Amino acid sequence: MDDAIFCYSLLLSFSVNEFHSSNLFFACCLCALKQAPKTKSSEKSSAAKKGSKVKVGSSAASKADPLFPARPRPSRIGGAIRPRGRDLSRFVKWPLYIRLQRQRSILYQRLKVPPAINQFTKTIGKNEATTVFTLLNKYRPETPAAKKQRIKEAAAAEATGAKVEAKVPHQIKFGLKHVTTLIEEKKADLVLIANDVDPVELVLWMPALCRKMGVPFMIVKDKARLGALVHQKTAACLCLVGVNKEDKQTLSMLQTAAKDKFNNNADLTKKWGGGMMGLKTKAKLEKRAKAVAAEEAKKAAAGRIH
């Protein structure tokens, strides 16, 4: 510090001409600069440089591997980790067709359903369905390839002069208009109607028509199962026009069962469906009934005291 004061005093003692000619001026300037006290800004810059060196070293040490990047998973509410042991299926947004069929089933339980629609909930049992579908499986309609082959063989037999059977084998009839015509003409021996036709108005009138014409009918599950019998995705109704000699006893047994359970069953045409309350409504009504009973008990107790 004393050296710096000495250098400054020398600089002040020089004249202007001596500044330009003397080398001592430059020596004094250098000495004054070296001995000058450090300011706060210079201290901060030196500290920042030191800190930057440390940061570079630390970042180099903790550099992540690009092949295996870190993906932290938040465990808060609504984060990536679901709570254990909880069924969250009721929070799932289901597809539209699933929501519609669930809402439809709930509405059928809550609302008063008229008998004409309610009868489609009364289907045949499992044992009867097994017997019916076993019989119908023998009379599935021909595929286009099988029909083509049969016609080809008949043409070849006719060309050779052999006797040809012109009669088409018994098979299931399907199609809404076709089945309706067969029922009206009383040619159908047994009619099967699907219970899940949508819209239900397509087959709503068919049980009444079968009763009027005296044709035995059954309501079965479901349209996809009926469709599989006739090489279709779905079928609203099927009917049998005739069977082979060995299956006539089975057919007559099914006709009797159909008439007892469906054609001659008066409850199907009179009994309403639906009207079932939900769990919340039941709980509310029970709570209300308990409150009314408690109030009545208080009144009765008060009357006895007086």
Side-chain angles (χ1 to χ4, degrees):
M1 190 68 184
D2 296 334
D3 294 338
I5 294 168
F6 174 72
C7 291
Y8 284 128
S9 62
L10 275 176
L11 284 170
L12 292 171
S13 65
F14 284 127
S15 63
V16 176
N17 293 327
E18 289 174 343
F19 280 164
H20 295 286
S21 59
S22 177
N23 291 327
L24 185 62
F25 168 73
F26 297 104
C28 289
C29 288
L30 289 173
C31 179
L33 288 173
K34 285 180 182 179
Q35 298 297 329
K38 289 183 179 179
T39 60
K40 290 183 179 180
S41 61
S42 61
E43 289 176 1
K44 286 181 181 177
S45 62
S46 61
K49 286 180 182 178
K50 290 180 182 178
S52 63
K53 287 180 182 178
V54 173
K55 285 181 181 177
V56 169
S58 62
S59 64
S62 63
K63 192 174 182 181
D65 190 350
L67 294 177
F68 303 100
R71 294 189 181 91
R73 299 176 67 184
S75 57
R76 295 185 301 173
I77 294 172
I81 301 172
R82 64 177 293 272
R84 292 183 180 178
R86 281 181 62 191
D87 182 16
L88 302 178
S89 60
R90 70 182 291 267
F91 300 105
V92 175
K93 187 174 182 181
W94 296 99
L96 181 62
Y97 76 98
I98 292 179
R99 280 181 276 156
L100 284 176
Q101 68 188 16
R102 288 180 177 179
Q103 289 166 4
R104 189 187 296 117
S105 65
I106 294 296
L107 281 175
Y108 276 142
Q109 290 175 12
R110 301 287 179 269
L111 302 177
K112 291 282 186 74
V113 182
I117 298 175
N118 188 51
Q119 66 181 337
F120 286 93
T121 61
K122 313 297 181 186
T123 57
I124 58 175
K126 189 177 180 180
N127 295 330
E128 291 172 335
T130 304
T131 308
V132 169
F133 283 101
T134 304
L135 176 66
L136 291 176
N137 201 39
K138 298 179 182 178
Y139 299 98
R140 298 181 71 185
E142 294 175 309
T143 58
K147 187 177 180 180
K148 188 177 180 181
Q149 183 65 24
R150 179 174 61 80
I151 293 171
K152 195 173 181 180
E153 289 175 359
E158 190 176 352
T160 56
K163 190 177 179 181
V164 180
E165 287 186 9
K167 192 177 180 181
V168 180
H170 294 299
Q171 56 187 7
I172 301 169
K173 307 295 181 183
F174 64 99
L176 202 56
K177 291 183 179 179
H178 191 192
V179 172
T180 305
T181 304
L182 293 172
I183 293 170
E184 289 172 345
E185 295 173 356
K186 298 185 179 181
K187 291 181 179 178
D189 291 336
L190 182 65
V191 178
L192 300 181
I193 307 170
N195 73 322
D196 59 342
V197 179
D198 186 31
V200 74
E201 288 84 3
L202 290 173
V203 292
L204 191 61
W205 44 268
M206 192 170 279
L209 181 65
C210 290
R211 289 189 187 98
K212 185 179 179 181
M213 295 297 172
V215 176
F217 74 96
M218 288 182 171
I219 297 172
V220 298
K221 293 180 180 179
D222 48 26
K223 62 182 179 182
R225 200 172 179 187
L226 293 182
L229 289 170
V230 293
H231 314 293
Q232 303 287 329
K233 285 184 180 179
T234 58
C237 55
L238 307 176
C239 76
L240 274 173
V241 177
V243 293
N244 296 333
K245 197 177 283 185
E246 62 270 15
D247 293 323
K248 283 190 176 180
Q249 187 177 357
T250 307
L251 179 62
S252 64
M253 182 187 69
L254 291 173
Q255 285 174 333
T256 306
K259 285 181 178 178
D260 291 340
K261 192 169 184 178
F262 293 98
N263 288 63
N264 302 328
N265 190 356
D267 289 341
L268 290 180
T269 57
K270 294 178 182 178
K271 193 171 183 181
W272 285 64
M276 295 170 60
M277 292 180 291
L279 294 174
K280 289 182 180 178
T281 309
K282 285 180 181 177
K284 193 186 293 183
L285 291 175
E286 286 175 5
K287 188 177 180 181
R288 192 181 298 167
K290 285 179 181 178
V292 170
E295 191 68 26
E296 292 292 333
K298 283 181 182 178
K299 286 181 181 178
R304 287 173 191 170
I305 291 170
H306 291 300

